[in-house]
Amino acid sequence: MRRIEVDLRSDTVTKPTPGMRRAMCEAEVGDDVLGDDPTVNKLQAMIAEMAGKEAALFVPSGTMSNQIAIKVHTQPGDEVICERDCHIFNYECGAPALVSSVQLMPVSGYRGIMDVDEVRRAIRVPNIHHPRSRLIVVENTHNRAGGTIYPIEEIKRIYKVAKEYGLKLHLDGARLWNAHVETGISIREYSSYFDTVSLCFSKGLGAPVGSILVGDKEVIDMAKRVRKFLGGGMRQAGILASACIYAVGHHISRLKEDHANAKKLAIGVNEIDGLNVDMEAVQTNIVMIDIEREDIDAYKLCDMLLERGIGMLPVREKRVRAVTNLNVSEADIDRTIDVLNEVFS
Ligand code: TLP
């Protein structure tokens, strides 16, 4: 198979930069399960401070971070309200049922954004027959909706409803960094509306591994136990945490380049007959490309692109996802548009 030269399959595919590798090489380490890895402790303190929370916990993945949050906020039999297309419902292997014995109550959203009245309607009235609504999960930016940004006003409305009904709120902020650079709203302000926030370093920020869960001290103490029983306690994890510290120091503001590249790609694709992108959904680094030709589906298109050295992923029968990232330049975008033109001409 041909080597992928322009990899738009995800922003998870990025390779550590030379500077990041140097930081990893030089990292001071210790046994983090015993709490004495200085680099992990530094990262946790740094992100807790950035998010305005008491504590933080470094974990191997965004999936583990979300699942730990669900576990610490719920009891078996509880219900978790989330948006229909969100990651915890579609891409985490049914883990809320496996790990926390809870059921999900998905509500439909528009471009991934839940309507607050729908959220309110989804909350169960106390009744012996019903599960107990316990937690609401918001995803910002929203992956499957195409990297859309949750409007802060909507977040505030959901926060008010959660408070009114005594529900916990978790933010899957795998790509909150992207929302932050695009809107100028700080990580701290976004986090202030949530009990817990999960942030990923291994998406647009370009670290090889790692996510973090922030919250108050009591919740993070519980989270540490859950991480341990899930097998996520890591020993000399400072090697990984140093890459994350480097990523936070060097790769946040450059996300704007990814966003500009995504816009450029979307505009180029929209000029091709048989392809369509909903431009209003292109708000950060994800481009959802809809195929409007009978004879090509998403799988076939991805294969054709792969033969020409371009990586994209099918997300449904007639939709392909392209995610701009640290390893994709503006020239790569030009090349991608040229290849799509060739395929569709
Ligand atoms: N998303 C991956 C795939 O799992 C789909 C990707 O390529 O986009 N929350 C959100 C919103 C995510 O997009 C992802 C990863 C996660 C959580 C999980 O992170 P990891 O992969 O670190 O478990």
Side-chain angles (χ1 to χ4, degrees):
M1 204 207 305
R2 184 165 167 179
R3 204 172 72 84
I4 300 180
E5 281 141 20
V6 181
D7 200 346
L8 294 158
R9 290 172 302 164
S10 183
D11 46 9
T12 59
V13 300
T14 52
K15 310 254 170 69
T17 60
M20 186 179 277
R21 282 186 188 267
R22 259 193 310 279
M24 295 172 80
C25 252
E26 288 159 11
E28 259 191 86
V29 295
D31 188 331
D32 181 52
V33 172
L34 302 180
D36 52 38
D37 187 303
T39 312
V40 171
N41 291 340
K42 182 176 165 190
L43 174 70
Q44 291 176 163
M46 189 175 121
I47 303 296
E49 160 69 23
M50 187 185 263
K53 298 287 188 207
E54 285 174 5
L57 186 70
F58 186 50
V59 296
S61 69
T63 301
M64 189 181 286
S65 195
N66 284 335
Q67 293 308 321
I68 291 174
I70 292 171
K71 181 75 182 164
V72 298
H73 290 309
T74 61
Q75 293 296 319
D78 285 348
E79 202 163 62
V80 177
I81 297 168
C82 61
E83 198 276 332
R84 224 194 157 307
D85 276 335
C86 74
H87 200 274
I88 62 157
F89 184 51
N90 293 283
Y91 296 117
E92 299 190 10
C93 315
L98 287 165
V99 176
S100 303
S101 303
V102 293
Q103 83 185 10
L104 299 182
M105 164 64 105
V107 304
S108 48
Y110 179 66
R111 294 203 179 103
I113 312 303
M114 294 184 283
D115 178 73
V116 73
D117 293 326
E118 287 272 336
V119 172
R120 193 188 285 275
R121 272 194 291 277
I123 300 171
R124 305 281 187 170
V125 291
N127 180 303
I128 194 166
H129 301 87
H130 292 165
R132 280 183 304 185
S133 305
R134 181 74 75 171
L135 172 69
I136 304 171
V137 176
V138 167
E139 186 175 310
N140 190 20
T141 65
H142 194 293
N143 179 353
R144 221 173 130 84
T148 49
I149 298 171
Y150 237 92
I152 193 81
E153 292 311 317
E154 287 303 317
I155 292 176
K156 287 182 191 168
R157 285 191 197 105
I158 291 177
Y159 169 78
K160 267 181 77 181
V161 169
K163 279 274 161 293
E164 189 184 329
Y165 288 88
L167 305 187
K168 298 289 180 193
L169 253 185
H170 170 68
L171 174 60
D172 177 355
R175 296 187 180 83
L176 190 64
W177 316 104
N178 298 77
H180 155 63
V181 299
E182 201 51 41
T183 61
I185 296 168
S186 65
I187 299 291
R188 180 178 284 243
E189 154 117 51
Y190 275 127
S191 303
S192 67
Y193 302 106
F194 295 90
D195 297 284
T196 46
V197 180
S198 167
L199 295 149
C200 291
F201 305 107
S202 61
K203 311 274 172 319
L205 293 196
V209 177
S211 294
I212 203 158
L213 184 69
V214 296
D216 64 28
K217 190 177 172 312
E218 199 186 334
V219 159
I220 297 300
D221 282 346
M222 281 157 66
K224 208 175 274 182
R225 277 191 72 79
V226 179
R227 181 186 69 174
K228 190 73 185 80
F229 84 61
L230 291 175
M234 298 179 285
R235 302 296 178 172
Q236 286 70 39
I239 291 179
L240 299 175
S242 63
C244 302
I245 292 171
Y246 184 93
V248 169
H250 295 81
H251 294 165
I252 295 181
S253 57
R254 68 146 306 284
L255 290 172
K256 283 214 152 158
E257 293 169 33
D258 296 346
H259 300 178
N261 280 337
K263 283 235 162 58
K264 183 173 178 153
L265 176 64
I267 291 168
V269 167
N270 260 340
E271 282 169 8
I272 301 171
D273 246 7
L275 292 177
N276 185 51
V277 176
D278 170 8
M279 283 306 293
E280 278 184 48
V282 186
Q283 300 171 9
T284 55
N285 68 332
I286 301 179
V287 182
M288 293 294 188
I289 304 173
D290 291 316
I291 305 162
E292 293 176 337
R293 247 171 60 173
E294 290 281 309
D295 55 330
I296 300 184
D297 68 10
Y299 303 91
K300 185 165 174 197
L301 177 57
C302 287
D303 285 346
M304 289 163 91
L305 290 173
L306 207 54
E307 281 163 22
R308 292 159 175 83
I310 313 272
M312 292 192 195
L313 285 181
V315 284
R316 57 180 197 231
E317 205 198 334
K318 290 283 198 180
R319 177 171 277 195
V320 163
R321 184 185 79 160
V323 188
T324 54
N325 62 67
L326 185 59
N327 295 154
V328 173
S329 65
E330 203 183 334
D332 291 333
I333 297 298
D334 289 331
R335 175 161 164 213
T336 305
I337 296 168
D338 286 348
V339 167
L340 281 165
N341 265 305
E342 179 203 317
V343 166
F344 274 76
S345 64

